[in-house]
Amino acid sequence: MAHTDQTGRRVLRREIAGTIGLLTDEHDFRAMRRYRSFTFDDHSAYLHQVEALLRSRASQGTHTSVALFDPEEYADFCSATGLDPDAAASRTRFTAELAASGPTVPYEGQPLADLLPDLVDEAVRQATREYASTLLARLGNCATCGEDLGRAAFTRATRLLVRILETAPPGNRHLVCSVSGSPETLVTALYADEDIDGTPHIDEAETLEFTSVLALGLATHSPGGLVMRISTPGGPDRIHGWRLRGYGLEPLTAGEVFDAYCTDAGSGDLISPESNVDYCAPPDLGDDHLPPGHHH
């Protein structure tokens, strides 16, 4: 009977998903060393141990996600919840919170050196999305019609993105949207790889971030732009572009796209054009032309 119980527990352990809170850089690692219960003293050795643990769990068939562990957020969490920050149980509680709401990346056997950039990118994406969403929510309602300005802009951004993907030539699309503002410029990217049947495959989280940033640019009439690069096997890449203008997108001519890509943004110096790349006017979005009347 005891043997059966032990076997059952081993089986159940494989059914439990886990999350590891990871200190990705030396600065954060040093910040955690002020806690006596955090016994690691070398960041490289710490990363080596984390990778060994990930491989061990994967070999047992256990799914593990990796979350970005931020010491400042951890200290705030302990202060708000009354937990002792110098306790392993508190770090476990915080990691559980990260698993539920923070940026995570699943471990699928990749080297930790490959996983770390993905985790940082995911954290940046989530921060950008939350920042843009917060600013949209603060816009309030239109003084003329009472409509929620942030929601209306998000709806319009969604429609524009759908039209861009629908009218784009075949191929894998890489879209980048930048919106200038204070205190910083927001930049977001979206990959839309084409499936066998021609349907674009897009990541839901990337799409939400991209649409939120585009919506913020539309709602605030901020300077910005959107470019799309289309890649097809055996052919040249095609680059199209729009500038944010008022409550919509204004297409760039082929010459304007060329100038944008072949001019250094900082110095204004000319840059040699890429080989095997065509700079093109974008496809007609059709419904991008708003009718006369009240628009946000």
Side-chain angles (χ1 to χ4, degrees), residues 167-170 226-232 235-243 250-262 276-284:
T167 58
L226 191 158
V227 294
M228 174 174 60
R229 186 175 190 131
I230 303 174
S231 302
T232 54
D237 285 4
R238 297 167 55 93
I239 299 179
H240 308 273
W242 297 260
R243 66 171 57 90
E250 181 180 276
L252 299 177
T253 66
E256 288 173 324
V257 176
F258 178 88
D259 289 342
Y261 264 81
C262 300
N276 203 36
V277 170
D278 291 338
Y279 303 93
C280 313
D284 183 9

Side-chain angles (χ1 to χ4, degrees), residues 149-165:
L149 293 172
R151 185 177 297 114
F154 190 88
T155 299
R156 174 142 178 79
T158 300
R159 184 166 64 247
L160 286 171
L161 177 58
V162 169
R163 287 297 299 156
I164 288 172
L165 295 177

Side-chain angles (χ1 to χ4, degrees), residues 165 172-173 190-195 198-204 206-207:
L165 295 177
N172 293 331
R173 300 99 186 227
L190 175 66
Y191 293 89
D193 294 335
E194 199 169 70
D195 290 336
T199 303
H201 173 74
I202 55 179
D203 179 82
E204 182 177 346
E206 283 187 6
T207 304

Side-chain angles (χ1 to χ4, degrees), residues 51-79:
E51 186 163 23
L53 177 60
L54 290 170
R55 287 199 303 265
S56 174
R57 288 175 59 84
S59 69
Q60 298 167 10
T62 303
H63 173 80
T64 309
S65 294
V66 180
L68 192 66
F69 195 105
D70 185 287
E72 291 186 8
E73 292 182 2
Y74 171 64
D76 292 341
F77 172 79
C78 290
S79 177

Side-chain angles (χ1 to χ4, degrees), residues 19-35:
T19 302
I20 294 176
L22 182 63
L23 298 160
T24 59
D25 61 52
E26 186 75 34
H27 178 270
D28 288 346
F29 181 81
R30 287 198 304 268
M32 289 303 294
R33 289 198 61 203
R34 68 179 180 265
Y35 302 120

Side-chain angles (χ1 to χ4, degrees), residues 2-294:
H3 175 72
T4 301
D5 290 342
Q6 291 175 0
T7 302
R9 284 194 292 270
R10 284 197 297 270
V11 172
L12 285 174
R13 274 196 291 270
R14 291 197 293 268
E15 301 289 332
I16 300 174
T19 302
I20 294 176
L22 182 63
L23 298 160
T24 59
D25 61 52
E26 186 75 34
H27 178 270
D28 288 346
F29 181 81
R30 287 198 304 268
M32 289 303 294
R33 289 198 61 203
R34 68 179 180 265
Y35 302 120
R36 293 181 61 186
S37 61
F38 185 79
T39 58
F40 293 96
D41 58 10
D42 181 83
H43 189 233
S44 296
Y46 160 82
L47 293 177
H48 178 75
Q49 291 294 329
V50 169
E51 186 163 23
L53 177 60
L54 290 170
R55 287 199 303 265
S56 174
R57 288 175 59 84
S59 69
Q60 298 167 10
T62 303
H63 173 80
T64 309
S65 294
V66 180
L68 192 66
F69 195 105
D70 185 287
E72 291 186 8
E73 292 182 2
Y74 171 64
D76 292 341
F77 172 79
C78 290
S79 177
T81 56
L83 294 174
D84 177 11
D86 197 358
S90 300
R91 292 192 289 275
T92 302
R93 283 275 300 275
F94 178 65
T95 301
E97 291 288 330
L98 293 177
S101 59
T104 61
V105 172
Y107 177 71
E108 299 173 328
Q110 68 270 49
L112 197 59
D114 294 338
L115 185 147
L116 288 179
D118 291 341
L119 180 58
V120 173
D121 287 347
E122 180 60 28
V124 171
R125 280 195 295 269
Q126 179 167 319
T128 301
R129 181 173 66 248
E130 291 177 352
Y131 179 70
S133 298
T134 298
L135 294 183
L136 285 171
R138 291 177 180 172
L139 294 175
N141 298 330
C142 176
T144 301
C145 68
E147 186 174 8
D148 185 299
L149 293 172
R151 185 177 297 114
F154 190 88
T155 299
R156 174 142 178 79
T158 300
R159 184 166 64 247
L160 286 171
L161 177 58
V162 169
R163 287 297 299 156
I164 288 172
L165 295 177
E166 285 179 344
T167 58
N172 293 331
R173 300 99 186 227
H174 177 209
L175 290 81
V176 176
C177 178
S178 61
V179 174
S180 300
S182 178
E184 59 184 328
T185 296
L186 295 181
V187 180
T188 178
L190 175 66
Y191 293 89
D193 294 335
E194 199 169 70
D195 290 336
I196 297 177
D197 62 357
T199 303
H201 173 74
I202 55 179
D203 179 82
E204 182 177 346
E206 283 187 6
T207 304
L208 180 58
E209 177 203 346
F210 191 94
T211 309
S212 298
V213 171
L214 176 57
L216 182 62
L218 296 174
T220 58
H221 294 192
S222 298
L226 191 158
V227 294
M228 174 174 60
R229 186 175 190 131
I230 303 174
S231 302
T232 54
D237 285 4
R238 297 167 55 93
I239 299 179
H240 308 273
W242 297 260
R243 66 171 57 90
L244 271 65
R245 180 63 58 88
Y247 203 54
L249 296 173
E250 181 180 276
L252 299 177
T253 66
E256 288 173 324
V257 176
F258 178 88
D259 289 342
Y261 264 81
C262 300
T263 304
D264 184 274
S267 65
D269 295 337
L270 294 179
I271 303 172
S272 298
E274 294 182 62
S275 61
N276 203 36
V277 170
D278 291 338
Y279 303 93
C280 313
D284 183 9
L285 299 183
D287 69 349
D288 185 37
H289 303 290
L290 293 170
H294 172 67

